[in-house]
Amino acid sequence: MGKRERWRDGGATLYVDRGAAHGDRGAAPGMPAGHPERLEAAAEVPLEVPVEVPLEGPLEVPLEVAASYRARTRGLLGRDGIEGAMLLTPASSVHTFRMRFAIDVAHLDRRLTVIALTTMVPGRLGLPRLRARHVLEAEAGAMAAWGLRVGSPLRVRLTAR
């Protein structure tokens, strides 16, 4: 998305960097980058633990953009699932009342960097995040499969009309 482009309802492609998050390269799982104990924690990891090697290039995920009030209000209500993900913009929180399935929720800042991740079951009200400008929703477990985590940068390419 360029600075001059406006968000609009419709299809798009989400690009997820399958490598480590910015500033988190080489850090042990669960340890913040630059943490003084990260090397000690990494040394304690048993050798039998499988290591995931990031694949080359970003992962492409089909994306639905909900930018209008009507599309954001409808969201994933009345569906039994979603292929890919849905981006609500602008948004800082979501709810799962009247939803039929659990979802993963990623709060994104204005640069499309993940600032918070959570999984929500149906019938819950999510807390708003102060810096969040967009919310990304997908079926529960999808974001973990994509390798998404706090600090992950995302890119969106809108489908031409």
Side-chain angles (χ1 to χ4, degrees), residues 17-32:
D17 181 11
R18 291 185 278 192
H22 285 292
D24 195 27
R25 300 186 193 281
M31 289 289 184

Side-chain angles (χ1 to χ4, degrees), residues 34 37-38 42 61 64 77 79 81 87 97 101-102 104 111 118 125 132 138 150:
E37 297 172 355
R38 84 171 186 210
V61 177
E64 295 177 44
L77 296 177
R79 298 188 189 194
L87 180 72
F97 298 122
F101 58 98
D104 283 343
R111 292 184 178 147
T118 189
L125 178 63
V150 173

Side-chain angles (χ1 to χ4, degrees), residues 104-137:
D104 283 343
V105 177
H107 292 85
L108 312 175
D109 66 9
R110 65 181 72 240
R111 292 184 178 147
L112 298 179
T113 301
V114 178
I115 59 174
L117 282 168
T118 189
T119 300
M120 295 177 66
V121 295
R124 302 287 184 225
L125 178 63
L127 295 174
R129 305 291 175 158
L130 289 177
R131 291 183 4 238
R133 296 294 178 265
H134 317 279
V135 174
L136 185 67
E137 298 177 337

Side-chain angles (χ1 to χ4, degrees), residues 9 66-76 86-91:
D9 293 345
S68 68
Y69 176 78
R70 184 175 182 179
R72 287 191 316 268
T73 302
R74 185 177 52 242
L76 297 175
M86 177 175 275
L87 180 72
L88 306 174
T89 181

Side-chain angles (χ1 to χ4, degrees), residues 41 54 154:
L154 303 177

